[in-house]
Amino acid sequence: MDAMDWALLRELQADARLSYSELSRRVHLSPPAVAERVRRLEENGVVTGYHAHVDLARTGRDVIALVTMSCYGATCLLLDEAVPGWPEVMEIYRVTGDACSVLRVATASMEAFETVIDRLGKYGQPSSTMVLSTPLPWQPVLPLP
Amino acid sequence: MDAMDWALLRELQADARLSYSELSRRVHLSPPAVAERVRRLEENGVVTGYHAHVDLARTGRDVIALVTMSCYGATCLLLDEAVPGWPEVMEIYRVTGDACSVLRVATASMEAFETVIDRLGKYGQPSSTMVLSTPLPWQPVLPLP
DNA sequence: TGTGAAAAGATCTAGGT
DNA sequence: ACCTAGATCTTTTCACA
């Protein structure tokens, strides 16, 4: 992970669709050398994927919430392989504290959100905090000073 | 937003670096037609960007936390344009409830995390929950049934 | 690790249905 | 809105430093 790798990460985090030749211009390296370095960043698991980001509101997901689950024991949500497949569940974090996990949930309506909460109730006690807006939806990973 | 748009969104969320010709094979449409539809999805703000995702642990960010900020009033964190620029702050959500916002923070060490908390203390009361692991780091936005 | 050059493949533009 | 086709640009491969 030298300065060149960080330069490539910076560019690919900002725009994952940049061509190798455009990348090569920006970091001052030949296209094959860029391709080789990017391949290694992928192989070493530094880059975990390239994803288009989608505006939730513009795709009909008007209700977004952070749901804190308290469900220690055999019924814990984290033990069920199926939950990460629910399309309303965008992220799951296992956390310290009174709760066991935090989920980011996005549904089309409050009614749809209610049925997700009902389904989550099988695993433990859900506690919901509604997201009003997202002042910072995403920030690239940069080298820390 | 017809079935073809959803097919393109599905593919570009799974792999943002797919070429238009590879996309055209997968959705059974000519490359120029694919390019035109993708251009419109970008223009309409449905697609907000294409981003390489980076493994935080493999880039030296060993401490991840969800920090809930209670800071209503003139000193509120959400009023300071500078905070979204801090490299340790990966996401900011404005939320309902006793708190005003939730931040996802990633630092190299507990010591570095402590200094971020100290800096956040200027805006209000931070309450930290540590992230032990991330069973679901990301889920694509799919059309809901 | 890196480069340069040639083959293979992708994109863009134009004209047509 | 979509397709085809040709010109241009990009990616990939490979010999070599």
Side-chain angles (χ1 to χ4, degrees), chain A residues 88-140:
Chain A
E88 298 90 350
V89 177
M90 311 312 289
E91 288 169 46
I92 304 179
Y93 297 106
R94 188 181 178 204
V95 296
T96 63
D98 294 338
C100 92
S101 54
V102 175
L103 287 66
R104 188 162 65 92
V105 171
T107 61
S109 64
M110 217 30 140
E111 188 181 334
F113 182 65
E114 186 173 359
T115 77
V116 172
I117 292 299
D118 287 343
R119 281 197 286 157
L120 287 173
K122 309 261 179 176
Y123 299 94
Q125 177 68 44
S127 168
S128 302
T129 299
M130 309 313 292
V131 173
L132 295 167
S133 62
T134 308
L136 181 69
W138 183 80
Q139 169 104 130

Side-chain angles (χ1 to χ4, degrees), chain A residues 12-13 16-18 46 48-53 55 61 84 86 90 92 94 96 130 132-133 136 139 142, chain B residues 12-13 16-18 46 48-53 55 61 86 90 92 94 96 130 132-133 136 139 142:
Chain A
L12 285 172
Q13 287 183 95
R17 285 183 69 75
L18 288 174
V46 175
T48 58
Y50 303 96
H51 305 292
H53 284 210
D55 187 298
R61 309 265 196 141
W86 295 8
M90 311 312 289
I92 304 179
R94 188 181 178 204
T96 63
M130 309 313 292
L132 295 167
S133 62
L136 181 69
Q139 169 104 130
L142 302 173
Chain B
L12 285 172
Q13 286 183 95
R17 286 183 68 76
L18 287 174
V46 176
T48 58
Y50 304 96
H51 305 291
H53 285 210
D55 186 298
R61 308 266 195 140
W86 297 7
M90 311 312 290
I92 303 178
R94 187 182 179 201
T96 63
M130 309 312 294
L132 296 166
S133 63
L136 181 69
Q139 170 103 126
L142 301 173

